[in-house]
Amino acid sequence: MNTIDSPLFGLSHRLPPSNLQAEQALLGALLANNKAYERVSEFLAPEHFADPIHGRIYQAISRRVEAGQLADAVTLKAEFEHAGILEEVGGTAYLTQLLTAMVGIINAGDYGRAVHDTWLRRQLIDVGEQVVNNAFGADAELDGPKQIEFAEQTLFQLAAEGGGTKGGFVSFERALTDAILGAERAFRQSGTVSGLTTGLRDVDSKMGGMHSSDLLILAGRPGMGKTALATKIAFGAAKALQAEARRDDPNGVAKASVAIFSLEMSSEQLATRLLSEEARISGDRIRRGDIGQKDFDKFVQVSREIASLPIQIDDTPAITMSALRTRCRRLKRTKGLALVVVDYLQLMRPAAGTKPENRVLEISMITQGLKALAKEMEVPVLALSQLSRQVENREDKRPQLSDLRESGSIEQDADAVMFVYRDEYYLEQKMPKEVGFEGSAEKFNAAMDDWQQRMSKAHNRADLIIAKQRHGPTGTIPLLFEGEFTRFGDIDLVHSDYAV
């Protein structure tokens, strides 16, 4: 049987939804009083009209009103005559007829929404037909999962474009009220952390925690500990969410969770790293099975303690922006969402169906998508990023904003950019070798002593460099780093070389 005759395609024999009466009534109201345009201009466009003639008339009205000119039957007749399209839009008689179709200027907003609603329905029909055609194999490059992703992305774009009257102005009084409520939360939470805690005292003190709708970038060269620091932050946030839930009820369940999108490591590897950090047992020893019974018992005990933490891990490699957004929406709906961690953004792909011209544009689409996700979900998004190799060519290896790969878009879209830097990593590579001193033992010993002193000062130390912070100060925060457990922690400044 021919697929075109299949009952599945019965919908194509129906007339697409439209409301020509509402279109005529709206145009009549606009021609009668141009002030009615203010009620529909924010969400209605010429292409939303089912009748293309109505769309052209609306476009002409829009152009004249926005130019501060009068738009009525007389001025439009002259304009259409001059353009030679008067007959195409029905002539003078039709413009006059539209005036008689007007029911009332006060109803212009309702007419506009009715026109917009039928346009949305027509778009949904088009999406549905495209989904069906793809399922029948119209696009051979799209397999089943990619078709689902394409459908989700298309629907998301339609939701974003066809949102109608979403957004708009917020009164200053409302904005002030929200600001006071935020200040009250900070006051009740010891006065330093108004957002979600990072689990690191000095970072919270400098940033006030992680704030909803913010895109935070954590960058560094390989070996600096980006993933370890990100998991520490995710772990600290999850602990805080659980502690809040159990403040009044020992068996309380957290109302929101932390989502970790691990594009580089598997969920098992990430869990092993968290266990290693919490149990203080070397991750390398865990992988090799080089642990005694005492360590294994501790390992099991710690795993039981942290098993209930509200952490969700997605280790899909090369996940697309649309798939990540869909999964975050689903998680927020089912378990709540407090923080999104992406490790790392250069391994992501843009939305299905988009083909950026170059890598810079691709990264730009991803960072814009992550920022949009933070605003839509109203949660902080922490995204890890690689640094370019140009860092290695400098004598001073401390990273700068210009070291970010495709730095323009990342730096622009981010609310905060942080770099993790460990001097110890680079000092290890500069260990003096006797070969370079041509038998001079004294010079070699002096160089070795100097190197050992520098290594001792840098041992178990890391710096978190806040290079950009839209809502606060920049600066460097010293942190403890235990390489054996890939664990970050706070430094006691009183007894450290960082004390000032």
Side-chain angles (χ1 to χ4, degrees):
M1 182 176 68
N2 191 316
T3 55
I4 298 299
D5 298 326
S6 168
L8 185 62
F9 288 84
L11 285 173
S12 64
H13 298 299
R14 301 184 190 178
L15 290 173
S18 62
N19 193 333
L20 299 181
Q21 208 171 359
E23 292 181 8
Q24 291 174 331
L26 172 62
L27 292 175
L30 294 175
L31 290 171
N33 189 334
N34 291 169
K35 287 185 179 180
Y37 177 71
E38 296 173 3
R39 303 179 184 221
V40 297
S41 59
E42 191 175 322
F43 63 88
L44 201 62
E47 58 268 22
H48 294 160
F49 289 80
D51 189 331
I53 291 175
H54 293 161
R56 295 185 79 167
I57 295 172
Y58 179 76
Q59 187 174 31
I61 294 172
S62 302
R63 187 171 56 248
R64 292 190 66 84
V65 172
E66 289 179 6
Q69 300 171 342
L70 178 65
D72 61 9
V74 176
T75 57
L76 256 60
K77 173 181 175 292
E79 184 173 318
F80 290 145
E81 256 182 340
H82 181 72
I85 58 170
L86 182 59
E87 295 308 314
E88 291 180 28
V89 297
T92 309
Y94 192 63
L95 292 175
T96 306
Q97 182 185 331
L98 289 176
L99 284 169
T100 62
M102 178 191 67
V103 178
I105 297 167
I106 198 170
N107 299 320
D110 294 329
Y111 298 148
R113 279 184 283 275
V115 172
H116 187 269
D117 183 67
T118 54
W119 170 78
L120 271 179
R121 292 169 187 269
R122 291 194 299 276
Q123 296 303 302
L124 285 169
I125 290 170
D126 289 344
V127 171
E129 286 181 352
Q130 199 168 9
V131 169
V132 171
N133 289 335
N134 285 340
F136 272 106
D139 190 340
E141 293 183 4
L142 292 177
D143 58 14
K146 284 183 179 176
Q147 287 182 34
I148 293 173
E149 194 176 310
F150 175 79
E152 288 177 338
Q153 174 63 17
T154 308
L155 283 171
F156 174 80
Q157 287 177 341
L158 181 59
E161 294 168 7
T165 55
K166 284 184 180 178
F169 289 110
V170 173
S171 70
F172 185 54
E173 184 181 10
R174 170 68 185 275
L176 278 176
T177 302
D178 292 342
I180 291 168
L181 289 173
E184 183 186 13
R185 282 195 299 272
F187 174 72
R188 294 184 183 279
Q189 295 175 8
S190 78
T192 57
V193 183
S194 57
L196 183 63
T197 181
T198 62
L200 293 162
R201 177 197 63 218
D202 298 327
V203 179
D204 282 344
S205 178
K206 191 85 168 179
M207 301 182 67
M210 297 176 288
H211 300 271
S212 61
S213 303
D214 275 1
L215 172 60
L216 314 169
I217 299 294
L218 177 61
R221 287 292 294 153
M224 289 294 109
K226 295 187 302 295
T227 301
L229 183 53
T231 52
K232 168 69 177 177
I233 291 172
F235 197 69
K239 273 186 167 181
L241 291 167
Q242 187 182 65
E244 185 180 355
R246 294 182 175 178
R247 190 170 296 150
D248 300 319
D249 179 6
N251 299 314
V253 178
K255 295 178 181 178
S257 52
V258 174
I260 302 177
F261 290 89
S262 180
L263 285 76
E264 192 173 33
M265 298 169 62
S266 70
S267 56
E268 183 183 346
Q269 289 172 327
L270 197 60
T272 301
R273 176 166 286 196
L274 284 168
L275 277 169
S276 169
E277 177 188 326
E278 194 69 6
R280 301 181 74 81
I281 300 172
S282 167
D284 182 55
R285 287 176 54 205
I286 292 171
R287 282 189 295 274
R288 290 187 285 107
D290 183 19
I291 55 176
Q293 185 63 48
K294 185 178 179 181
D295 284 339
F296 184 76
D297 291 343
K298 185 178 181 182
F299 189 67
V300 173
Q301 180 188 346
V302 168
S303 69
R304 287 173 180 164
E305 290 172 0
I306 67 175
S308 60
L309 284 176
I311 296 176
Q312 303 291 325
I313 302 171
D314 187 317
D315 59 4
T316 306
I319 193 170
T320 62
M321 190 63 238
S322 50
L324 186 144
R325 183 189 295 112
T326 299
R327 292 174 193 184
C328 286
R329 279 177 155 180
R330 191 179 301 134
L331 183 60
K332 184 172 185 178
R333 190 172 61 249
T334 55
K335 297 179 182 294
L337 187 61
L339 171 67
V340 177
V341 178
V342 180
D343 182 16
Y344 56 93
L345 66 83
Q346 276 87 2
L347 292 178
M348 286 186 66
R349 289 184 293 124
T354 59
K355 295 181 180 179
E357 296 175 6
N358 52 57
R359 181 61 174 162
V360 174
L361 184 58
E362 189 173 298
I363 292 296
S364 178
M365 292 175 68
I366 291 169
T367 55
Q368 286 173 13
L370 290 172
K371 176 60 182 175
L373 175 74
K375 292 184 73 175
E376 181 193 349
M377 298 289 109
E378 295 182 326
V379 299
V381 173
L382 175 64
L384 275 61
S385 175
Q386 286 281 22
L387 289 179
S388 65
R389 288 191 180 91
Q390 68 187 32
V391 176
E392 309 298 330
N393 300 327
R394 292 199 309 262
E395 183 63 29
D396 183 4
K397 302 290 195 281
R398 287 181 176 271
Q400 306 165 2
L401 285 171
S402 58
D403 296 326
L404 283 166
R405 281 187 183 175
E406 300 86 24
S407 61
S409 60
I410 298 175
E411 183 184 342
Q412 178 181 326
D413 296 324
D415 294 281
V417 178
M418 302 171 286
F419 299 114
V420 58
Y421 172 77
R422 292 193 300 112
D423 207 24
E424 184 180 17
Y425 176 86
Y426 292 106
L427 280 173
E428 284 176 347
Q429 302 169 17
K430 294 181 179 179
M431 180 179 177
K433 294 179 175 59
E434 289 187 73
V435 178
F437 289 88
E438 300 175 350
S440 176
E442 187 178 340
K443 288 183 179 179
F444 171 72
N445 290 334
M448 181 60 79
D449 287 343
D450 178 64
W451 177 80
Q452 287 175 341
Q453 286 179 17
R454 292 168 65 192
M455 278 292 291
S456 176
K457 187 175 181 180
H459 182 59
N460 283 0
R461 295 290 188 267
D463 285 334
L464 182 66
I465 303 166
I466 302 178
K468 173 188 176 182
Q469 188 180 183
R470 193 164 282 160
H471 313 299
T474 58
T476 300
I477 302 169
L479 295 172
L480 176 71
F481 178 74
E482 297 175 279
E484 186 182 2
F485 316 122
T486 58
R487 176 181 177 272
F488 282 88
D490 294 309
I491 280 184
D492 183 359
L493 293 178
V494 177
H495 303 292
S496 83
D497 294 328
Y498 283 90
V500 290

